[in-house]
Amino acid sequence: MRRRWLGRALLYAALLAGAALALLPMLWMVSASLMPTGEASTYPPRLLPRAVTLEHYRDLFTRLELGRAFLNSAIVSVSVTLLSILVNSMAGYALAKFRFRGRDRLFALLSAGLVVPVQVSMLPLFLLFKELHLVNTYWAVIIPGMSSIFGIFLIRQYVLALPDDLLDAARIDGAGEFRIYRSVVLPVITPILATFAIFTFLSTWNDFMWPLIVLSDGSMYTLPVALANLVGEHVQDTELMMAGSVLTVLPVLLTFLFLQRYYIQGLTAGSLKG
Amino acid sequence: MTLVGSRDERDAGVVLAPERPAPRVPRLPVRPEHARAAWLFLLPALLLIGIFFFLPIAAAFLLSFTDFDIYAMGDVANARFVGFGNYARLLAEPDFWLALRNTFYFAAVSGPLAVGVSLGAALLVNARATRFKAFFRTVYFAPFVTTLVAVAIVWRYLYHPRYGLLNYGLQALGFQPIDWLGNPRWAMPAIILMAVWKNFGYNMLILIAGLQNIPGELYEAAELDGAGPVRRFWHITLPMLAPTLLFVAVITMIGFLQVFAEPYVMTAGGPLRATTTMVLYMYEEGFRWWRMGYAAAIAFVLFLVILGATVLQLRLGRERAR
């Protein structure tokens, strides 16, 4: 009895210590962002602000125009999410439910693509967008994000489980193929579409390397690029940088907190089978 | 709902069928218009993936055999074929070997560390006695969804030699303060620590799913035989979890071999190039100095390294299955 009690105490001590370590950097980020200038650079370090101030958040929008970067991030992430649902669900459906010549070879080709690190494509991709005069536009970030082999496979896997009879019944009723996709297939695969949408939104919002390469003008920067750029100029301004970090992290963290059910389900399902 | 396995759905494992079996409608024959519809559905995705992924990969391969330099030549048409020149230069370049070494160092330490931490977290969260499982799972997973650039900046300040919380904690415990990001010896461990913090939650989630797939009877039987928690872990949990652990280890390693934003934001590859990784090196050569041909060669070496890691996975997987 005594041992069980001790074991339980140790278990919770470890769980709480882990939670503290996981959360501490984020809690400190929020706390420091509310401190008056200079207070985060004192010794001994302060954990909580002596007086809460929102001046750094105001600075982000008035002096540094991070509002523009926020807007850029939102436009890019929402566009990529909506377009990639459409593009990849059509492809995933076609791979799952149609039999046509070349399907298996196409599937093998796409699988091979999963092995290639995306950085390999970036040098020529940059040259291509330069040639198309799309460098420094939203399109340069949106277009490569619209199609995803991972997304196609994720959706295909889910569609495979739909009974063929459902589609055949609609065909006998005389529905066209696009109509079947739109009114029969899409409504029943919304759970996996939700998973994929959240996944795409988070990864587009957080993406750094490609936007850094292809966006050269400050007014087009997404938040991570703008933030990385600010570090160079305002490295001493700890509180301001923390406010910028909060602004960047908050949308994805809230998205995750409210929609984690879909996100976590999809991640575990997709990864265990893939 | 009944679970039925059928021809096409074998990949999916199971298929959900209606409760009352409907009278079997004869399966429609394969019709040419179906093929047309399928290709139309696939067209947007294939065009996009073809033009903006596969084509650039092929182009990168060709580019790696040229001396193309945007700054000096402007247009790709001016590039000259140099055979394996870039690769030869690469092998003779100490910066390349340093980047390769740094990348391996980073992946070889943070990979196992991240997997170990995730396994610990998964066991804690999944323990029978743990209440508030969903809460702890969410908290541990939260760092993974945050924006890498933003939290890398936060860690930069946590690592501040004078005002940072980490050194404050060290000093409180009686240790000397460390110049985390300014000392070539400590910069990589600092980035590793941050990367483990950021990534362990994802692995944990997959490992929890793996733990829940282990049949409970195994534990009950072992308990009846008088096996304690440690023996149950070594003889049931670990062997049963091995495939999941292998999967997690490999995807973690592949991800870590592509590390870029952490050193870019926290150290800019320094001090003394101690944290310049392969991707950072490629980025610098290609997009800062515009030596595209040379950078493409770096990209392909990275590809080979990652391919090697994947082949290693397949080999290990096959041995395990035997």
Side-chain angles (χ1 to χ4, degrees):
Chain A
M1 206 58 220
R2 181 96 172 253
R3 262 189 72 183
R4 172 167 294 179
W5 184 85
L6 187 71
R8 203 157 287 194
L10 281 175
L11 174 72
Y12 277 96
L15 277 167
L16 289 172
L21 286 176
L23 289 181
L24 191 74
M26 286 186 269
L27 293 176
W28 183 78
M29 164 182 80
V30 174
S31 172
S33 76
L34 300 170
M35 292 177 184
T37 305
E39 205 176 280
S41 304
T42 50
Y43 192 88
R46 293 188 60 84
L47 284 179
L48 292 172
R50 197 166 308 161
V52 170
T53 171
L54 291 173
E55 62 172 317
H56 308 298
Y57 289 95
R58 205 176 318 125
D59 271 6
L60 290 180
F61 290 96
T62 54
R63 200 154 57 84
L64 301 176
E65 293 177 329
L66 232 57
R68 177 64 202 239
F70 190 94
L71 191 70
N72 292 340
S73 273
I75 290 173
V76 165
S77 306
V78 171
S79 310
V80 168
T81 305
L82 294 177
L83 289 167
S84 72
I85 290 177
L86 179 71
V87 168
N88 297 307
S89 70
M90 287 199 303
Y93 166 54
L95 277 180
K97 286 297 176 197
F98 288 91
R99 301 177 53 183
F100 53 93
R101 263 198 317 151
R103 183 177 74 169
D104 296 341
R105 240 171 303 157
L106 181 65
F107 191 77
L109 182 70
L110 291 176
S111 311
L114 277 178
V115 185
V116 186
V118 66
Q119 292 90 347
V120 173
S121 69
M122 284 181 181
L123 295 152
L125 199 57
F126 175 78
L127 295 175
L128 179 61
F129 277 107
K130 201 156 134 324
E131 217 44 51
L132 297 171
H133 299 286
L134 287 176
V135 167
N136 216 14
T137 63
Y138 292 138
W139 289 112
V141 182
I142 294 172
I143 292 173
M146 276 166 61
S147 56
S148 146
I149 299 176
F150 162 78
I152 293 174
F153 284 6
L154 187 75
I155 292 166
R156 169 186 169 272
Q157 193 74 24
Y158 195 89
V159 176
L160 277 176
L162 298 183
D164 285 340
D165 298 350
L166 195 70
L167 310 175
D168 290 341
R171 279 185 193 124
I172 287 165
D173 289 347
E177 290 300 333
F178 190 76
R179 181 85 196 277
I180 294 175
Y181 157 76
R182 209 195 51 197
S183 339
V184 180
V185 178
L186 276 191
V188 291
I189 64 170
T190 38
I192 200 68
L193 295 184
T195 300
F196 181 57
I198 299 161
F199 175 85
T200 308
F201 179 79
L202 295 184
S203 54
T204 311
W205 184 279
N206 291 339
D207 194 18
F208 177 58
M209 188 170 174
W210 178 246
L212 174 75
I213 288 169
V214 88
L215 303 174
S216 52
D217 189 281
S219 66
M220 294 304 291
Y221 283 171
T222 56
L223 267 175
V225 181
L227 209 56
N229 207 49
L230 277 186
V231 187
E233 301 165 29
H234 295 269
V235 70
Q236 301 303 331
D237 218 336
T238 314
E239 300 79 10
L240 185 70
M241 288 312 303
M242 289 306 102
S245 299
V246 172
L247 181 72
T248 307
V249 166
L250 207 59
V252 280
L253 216 49
L254 289 180
T255 305
F256 164 66
L257 284 180
F258 285 110
L259 302 171
Q260 58 168 315
R261 202 161 59 86
Y262 301 100
Y263 185 59
I264 287 178
Q265 265 171 9
L267 271 189
T268 41
S271 54
L272 281 179
K273 283 172 195 155
Chain B
M1 291 274 195
T2 45
L3 296 175
V4 191
S6 79
R7 179 188 42 78
D8 225 20
E9 290 77 13
R10 207 167 298 136
D11 315 33
V14 289
V15 59
L16 299 170
E19 250 169 276
R20 235 174 320 130
R24 199 86 189 138
V25 184
R27 188 170 293 282
L28 295 181
V30 181
R31 288 181 309 194
E33 60 260 39
H34 279 196
R36 214 188 52 147
W39 285 109
L40 281 176
F41 278 125
L42 281 161
L43 190 67
L46 293 186
L47 276 180
L48 286 164
I49 294 174
I51 298 174
F52 298 101
F53 188 57
F54 282 120
L55 191 70
I57 291 168
F61 188 64
L62 295 178
L63 199 60
S64 76
F65 294 104
T66 72
D67 64 352
F68 183 55
D69 180 323
I70 300 187
Y71 193 71
M73 300 175 189
D75 198 87
V76 188
N78 299 326
R80 283 164 309 182
F81 179 74
V82 293
F84 282 94
N86 288 321
Y87 292 94
R89 240 181 81 202
L90 211 57
L91 298 181
E93 173 62 56
D95 278 354
F96 164 74
W97 290 107
L98 191 58
L100 191 66
R101 208 194 68 121
N102 290 338
T103 307
F104 279 136
Y105 176 16
F106 176 82
V109 178
S110 43
L113 210 57
V115 173
V117 172
S118 340
L119 179 60
L123 290 171
L124 285 175
V125 171
N126 201 52
R128 221 180 305 162
T130 301
R131 299 267 165 276
F132 313 111
K133 283 188 164 70
F135 167 79
F136 285 111
R137 197 185 57 184
T138 302
V139 166
Y140 291 171
F141 190 70
F144 180 75
V145 298
T146 57
T147 310
L148 183 52
V149 170
V151 292
I153 292 173
V154 173
W155 278 77
R156 239 182 105 126
Y157 291 104
L158 293 178
Y159 280 135
H160 193 284
R162 190 163 155 70
Y163 308 121
L165 280 183
L166 214 73
N167 270 353
Y168 183 69
L170 281 182
Q171 280 168 294
L173 295 172
F175 292 99
Q176 287 294 311
I178 294 170
D179 187 4
W180 288 99
L181 298 174
N183 182 330
R185 277 239 318 273
W186 285 104
M188 192 57 99
I191 290 181
I192 288 171
L193 198 62
M194 186 260 158
V196 170
W197 171 83
K198 172 89 168 66
N199 289 298
F200 81 94
Y202 176 76
N203 294 340
M204 176 200 70
L205 213 61
I206 296 171
L207 289 174
I208 289 177
L211 285 172
Q212 286 168 351
N213 280 340
I214 301 176
E217 301 94 68
L218 289 180
Y219 290 106
E220 285 157 25
E223 226 164 331
L224 285 178
D225 291 345
V230 176
R231 287 196 49 191
R232 288 202 297 268
F233 174 76
W234 281 107
H235 291 106
I236 299 175
T237 309
L238 219 48
M240 292 297 286
L241 202 59
T244 318
L245 271 173
L246 180 71
F247 169 80
V248 156
V250 170
I251 53 162
T252 304
M253 185 175 58
I254 290 176
F256 279 167
L257 287 171
Q258 301 175 44
V259 59
F260 169 73
E262 293 94 332
Y264 183 94
V265 172
M266 293 170 77
T267 58
L272 299 175
R273 302 190 74 83
T275 55
T276 299
T277 59
M278 293 273 281
V279 176
L280 187 55
Y281 186 47
M282 182 205 92
Y283 172 83
E284 282 179 348
E285 290 295 326
F287 295 106
R288 187 166 296 156
W289 311 121
W290 301 115
R291 292 190 274 253
M292 291 291 211
Y294 185 65
I298 304 173
F300 265 91
V301 174
L302 174 80
F303 178 29
L304 288 182
V305 166
I306 289 176
L307 202 63
T310 311
V311 169
L312 197 71
Q313 168 206 19
L314 295 177
R315 180 130 337 143
L316 283 172
R318 220 175 299 138
E319 257 165 45
R320 175 177 50 78
R322 222 176 262 155

